[in-house]
Amino acid sequence: MRQRSAEQRHTAGRSPSLAAETREALARLNLSPRRRRGQNFLVDRNLRDALLALAAVRSDQVVLEVGGGLGVLSVELAQRARYLHVVELDERLVPWLRERLADLPASVHHGDALALHERSLEPPPDRLVANLPYSIAQSFLVHSITALPTLQDWIAMVQLEVAERLAATPGTRTWGLATVLVQAACEVRIERRVPPEVFVPRPRVWSAIVRLRRVRDALSSASVQLVRAGFAHRRKPLASSLARAGLVAADERPIVRSVLEALGYPPDARAEQLSPDAWRKLPAVLAERGVLRRAQPRP
């Protein structure tokens, strides 16, 4: 009998690597990842299992996965959850996902995750677990907090710089619009930094697993309008930014400055200095002073 090579003996009885399975699937589908869609497929089984362990999905939960890809996470999630919704934009992957999930409590939705709203998914999801496409990671997390109010927990793979931005503290360089909108409703924690080599194709940057846990309602539309106006000119005093956006009259800027002082900030405070709680309070205080108005469209 012909003897097996050392490599054959070493790998006997072991399943193929996730990287090998991914490359084989991509070849079968004659599919090349699209960078413009932020497609980076997870090919490290240990990291996938770590992501699943952090998610700790229970059998009574409804899970949302955005960017199902080849189903590396999808099958595992569907086996753990009461129900799984997978949203996938790439029409080339939808039939593959539907075939892999055919016998499991799951649905595959072909479409743009940024168009999801609270009536899009039935049963409504209470948890997100996903390797989010890089092209929409930050936008989707911000969108989902308001558009999908039933979501209570998020475990997501994102670019490291996005994770650091969402977990930033007021007044720092990375504190910005997305930070405020997320932290106003959620606690944010970076669970793990992830190197590029666990993906195919390899991204040019590090990634991170970030956890969001909802602790209060999302900001009101009035607060969001103020936040967006403030960060549109983040280096200017907030009173000036709100006047430029048409939310207060130019001659009402002194009133805005006095409101900021009442909230415990310098009168010339900039948007980046305010905490999420201050943004939550600001519309009501400005309205009490009779200075808050709707923004008028620019001609």
Side-chain angles (χ1 to χ4, degrees), residues 29-285:
L29 291 168
N30 192 27
L31 187 150
S32 296
R34 292 173 174 170
R35 286 193 180 275
R36 64 184 175 84
R37 288 189 175 175
Q39 290 179 324
N40 299 94
F41 298 104
L42 181 61
V43 295
D44 185 289
R45 189 171 272 110
N46 289 332
L47 191 60
R48 181 203 62 185
D49 293 346
L51 183 62
L52 291 167
L54 283 169
V57 172
R58 303 191 310 267
S59 59
D60 63 339
Q61 291 180 316
V62 178
V63 176
L64 170 63
E65 181 189 12
V66 169
L70 293 167
V72 167
L73 275 175
S74 311
V75 173
E76 299 290 336
L77 292 170
Q79 290 172 341
R80 291 164 166 78
R82 175 165 72 91
Y83 200 82
L84 172 70
H85 294 285
V86 183
V87 177
E88 177 55 59
L89 182 62
D90 194 331
E91 66 283 353
R92 303 172 300 170
L93 293 169
V94 171
W96 173 275
L97 285 166
R98 286 178 174 157
E99 182 178 346
R100 293 200 69 184
L101 296 169
D103 299 323
L104 293 167
S107 297
V108 179
H109 309 266
H110 177 218
D112 184 356
L114 294 175
L116 290 176
H117 55 80
E118 61 182 325
R119 293 180 298 278
S120 299
L121 305 170
E122 183 60 42
D126 47 50
R127 172 163 293 194
L128 174 117
V129 184
N131 173 26
L132 288 174
Y134 276 12
S135 57
I136 66 162
Q138 178 175 291
S139 299
F140 175 75
L141 289 174
V142 171
H143 168 79
S144 66
I145 288 169
T146 300
L148 300 171
T150 59
L151 283 177
Q152 300 300 310
D153 294 278
W154 293 252
I155 294 288
M157 189 92 72
V158 301
Q159 305 98 307
L160 178 58
E161 67 172 303
V162 169
E164 291 175 337
R165 190 177 303 133
L166 299 182
T169 54
T172 60
R173 181 181 58 83
T174 51
W175 181 266
L177 172 64
T179 323
V180 172
L181 297 180
V182 170
Q183 289 193 21
C186 298
E187 292 178 346
V188 182
R189 177 177 173 180
I190 297 175
E191 295 285 357
R192 180 169 179 167
R193 287 162 174 76
V194 178
E197 55 264 27
V198 302
F199 300 100
V200 168
R202 290 189 182 189
R204 298 185 180 93
V205 296
W206 275 59
S207 303
I209 300 173
V210 66
R211 179 191 295 272
L212 279 59
R213 185 173 71 87
R214 192 187 293 271
V215 293
R216 60 187 69 86
D217 292 337
L219 286 180
S220 68
S221 59
S223 287
V224 172
Q225 189 177 42
L226 290 172
V227 176
R228 292 189 183 281
F231 280 97
H233 306 282
R234 62 182 294 161
R235 297 306 175 193
K236 292 186 175 296
L238 182 59
S240 297
S241 297
L242 298 186
R244 289 173 67 96
L247 294 174
V248 299
D251 60 0
E252 294 170 336
R253 285 178 291 182
I255 300 176
V256 177
R257 289 193 279 268
S258 69
V259 166
L260 289 171
E261 286 187 292
L263 292 173
Y265 293 94
D268 59 349
R270 299 188 300 269
E272 62 192 26
Q273 294 174 259
L274 272 64
S275 71
D277 189 53
W279 287 110
R280 190 177 292 277
K281 295 174 180 176
L282 192 57
V285 181

